[in-house]
Amino acid sequence: MDMTIYSPEKTLFTGEVEMVEFPGGRGRFQVLKDHDSIISTLVEGIIRFRTQGEEKLQPVKSGYVEVHHNVITVCVHV
């Protein structure tokens, strides 16, 4: 899956990911390959994702995520 994380100041991450876990407005949720399309708000917490076998963490204060055809677009305030 291709994921890009944007903040108002800069692009925080862009690349291929194997798994992502988000702090959604209705609770934490995970996105894996071929996930159904979804748009969700994000609340304060940590975006956890795996890229090239390495786990990374991105703290966020708020935002939203869109998943569509294995492309994940994330807009956040950090």
Side-chain angles (χ1 to χ4, degrees):
M1 300 177 293
D2 292 320
M3 181 171 75
T4 304
I5 303 175
Y6 299 101
S7 77
E9 295 81 26
K10 64 182 179 178
T11 301
L12 301 171
F13 174 83
T14 187
E16 187 77 17
V17 295
E18 300 145 17
M19 176 281 305
V20 188
E21 187 176 285
F22 293 103
R26 301 184 86 186
R28 292 196 68 79
F29 65 96
Q30 188 177 72
V31 174
L32 299 170
K33 186 179 179 194
D34 297 327
H35 194 285
D36 281 342
S37 295
I38 185 173
I39 296 175
S40 177
T41 57
L42 300 177
V43 297
E44 188 167 2
I46 303 289
I47 297 172
R48 184 174 66 91
F49 59 98
R50 192 175 325 115
T51 180
Q52 298 177 343
E54 180 182 342
E55 185 171 287
K56 296 191 176 196
L57 305 174
Q58 175 61 59
V60 298
K61 292 185 180 175
S62 64
Y64 74 90
V65 57
E66 177 183 15
V67 178
H68 187 68
H69 294 300
N70 290 317
V71 176
I72 304 169
T73 305
V74 188
C75 296
V76 297
H77 288 281
V78 292

